[in-house]
């Protein structure tokens, strides 16, 4: 993987970002709004609001190995902090405060710290795949213009993050066989279930269903695995690397 190539993608992606219309009229009311606020509060903390960086005890094994890779990780997490800013603006729109901790995020960070950077990167990738589905469902179901505009920005960014992970794993040039796939899907379903436990109420109040969420995350994992194996085949056949924009479009 060429880190410069992806760093440039993140730099370009930081341009042309229309700010959501936070002053648009609010029509959400009652339980649907209060459930949405709870969900946004947790995402504001978890999606770039907490320690928005690699936190594994051995992260230097990755960051210290290559200065260009470190710059790439920096711009990736800058984008995560931007998500937190957007979610914080959505909370202000609904006159809600930000939260400082939540059990699921504390648990997530604790496991990432202890389990090492390799595990952490997989945990972040799977979280991005399942969060991508959450934001897509929110954009589809939540009847609020500013929230939909915010989701559109985050969905675009997360597609880039998922594509970057695909390029990173392709560069490992190892076998991603059936056993790897079974573990990958199992961990993805676990990550998705924790997300859904905490955010189901907000999306169901807006008309989303459990089946839609689980179908979405299964398809997200399918798409990732198929793309990764396809990229590996291309690389081993000596084909040119796909343009970054094509990889991002494939992960959208
Ligand atoms: Fe994010
Ligand atoms: Fe992300």
């Amino acid at each position: 993987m060429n880190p410069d190539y992806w760093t440039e993608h993140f730099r370009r992606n930081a341009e042309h970002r229309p700010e959501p219309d936070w002053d648009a009229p609010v029509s959400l009311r009652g339980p649907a709004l209060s459930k949405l606020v709870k969900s946004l509060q947790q995402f504001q903390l978890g999606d770039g609001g907490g320690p928005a960086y690699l936190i594994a005890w051995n992260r230097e094994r990755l960051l210290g190995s290559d200065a260009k890779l470190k710059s790439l990780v920096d711009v990736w997490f800058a984008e995560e902090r931007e998500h937190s800013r957007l979610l914080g603006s959505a909370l202000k729109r609904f006159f809600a405060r930000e939260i400082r901790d939540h059990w699921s995020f504390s648990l997530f960070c604790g496991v990432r710290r202890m389990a090492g950077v390799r595990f952490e990167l997989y945990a972040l990738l799977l979280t991005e795949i399942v969060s991508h589905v959450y934001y897509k469902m929110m954009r589809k179901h939540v009847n609020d213009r500013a929230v939909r505009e915010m989701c559109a920005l985050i969905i675009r960014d997360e597609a880039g993050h998922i594509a970057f992970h695909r390029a990173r794993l392709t560069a490992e040039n190892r076998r991603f066989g059936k056993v790897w796939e079974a573990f990958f899907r199992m961990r993805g379903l676990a990550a998705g279930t924790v997300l859904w436990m905490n955010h189901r109420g907000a999306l169901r109040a807006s008309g989303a269903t459990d089946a839609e969420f689980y179908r979405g995350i299964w398809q997200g994992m399918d798409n990732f695995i198929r793309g990764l194996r396809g990229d590996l085949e291309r690389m081993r056949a000596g084909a040119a690397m796909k343009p970054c924009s094509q990889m991002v479009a494939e992960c959208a």
Side-chain angles (χ1 to χ4, degrees):
M1 183 183 66
N2 182 346
D4 287 342
Y5 184 68
W6 283 95
T7 302
E8 184 51 32
H9 158 77
F10 284 113
R11 293 222 168 97
R12 271 201 314 271
N13 194 48
E15 297 166 359
H16 311 299
R17 297 180 69 85
E19 188 67 11
D21 184 1
W22 302 119
D23 297 325
V26 176
S27 57
L28 290 170
R29 300 272 183 277
L33 178 58
S34 59
K35 286 175 181 174
L36 176 67
V37 161
K38 274 196 185 126
S39 179
L40 292 172
Q41 283 172 321
Q42 288 180 44
F43 260 87
Q44 189 278 327
L45 174 70
D47 195 357
Y53 208 70
L54 295 176
I55 55 173
W57 64 273
N58 61 346
R59 64 182 182 167
E60 282 309 313
R61 184 181 291 178
L62 179 88
L63 299 173
S65 66
D66 181 344
K68 288 182 175 181
L69 192 58
K70 160 106 179 39
S71 300
L72 173 53
V73 171
D74 290 349
V75 287
W76 164 28
F77 279 100
E79 216 160 78
E80 299 297 7
R81 281 190 291 280
E82 168 63 6
H83 296 171
S84 184
R85 184 194 70 80
L86 288 166
L87 289 151
S89 298
L91 288 172
K92 279 197 197 98
R93 168 174 170 76
F94 299 127
F95 303 103
R97 63 180 180 84
E98 296 177 7
I99 57 171
R100 295 218 174 141
D101 56 72
H102 188 269
W103 69 266
S104 60
F105 187 58
S106 302
L107 179 67
F108 184 53
C109 289
V111 173
R112 281 166 54 192
R113 272 195 192 92
M114 282 190 306
V117 73
R118 188 174 168 76
F119 175 94
E120 182 176 31
L121 287 168
Y122 266 112
L124 291 168
L125 160 62
L126 288 162
T127 302
E128 284 171 327
I129 291 175
V130 299
S131 301
H132 204 215
V133 175
Y134 162 86
Y135 285 118
K136 282 180 179 172
M137 287 172 71
M138 187 179 273
R139 180 180 59 177
K140 178 179 168 191
H141 291 288
V142 171
N143 185 21
D144 184 85
R145 181 176 158 185
V147 166
R148 284 180 167 162
E149 289 172 352
M150 173 193 77
C151 288
L153 283 170
I154 300 178
I155 288 164
R156 176 180 108 181
D157 297 345
E158 295 298 353
H161 300 182
I162 294 167
F164 147 64
H165 284 288
R166 204 172 96 185
R168 179 178 66 71
L169 288 173
T170 302
E172 288 187 4
N173 193 15
R174 63 182 190 85
R175 191 173 132 73
F176 295 97
K178 292 284 174 209
V179 175
W180 173 86
E181 179 178 339
F183 273 106
F184 186 82
R185 287 187 187 275
M186 199 176 70
R187 285 164 60 178
L189 282 175
T193 299
V194 172
L195 183 153
W196 197 234
M197 273 164 55
N198 288 316
H199 301 278
R200 177 176 187 264
L203 290 180
R204 279 181 58 94
S206 302
T209 65
D210 296 342
E212 187 182 356
F213 176 73
Y214 279 100
R215 204 167 42 239
I217 63 169
W218 195 257
Q219 283 170 355
M221 288 189 282
D222 251 358
N223 192 36
F224 185 85
I225 294 165
R226 211 173 333 108
L228 173 60
R229 288 178 176 155
D231 290 348
L232 266 172
E233 268 178 38
R234 283 173 58 88
M235 188 179 74
R236 287 169 185 167
M241 211 166 52
K242 283 180 191 167
C244 198
S245 54
Q246 185 183 342
M247 287 189 69
V248 175
E250 287 173 5
C251 292

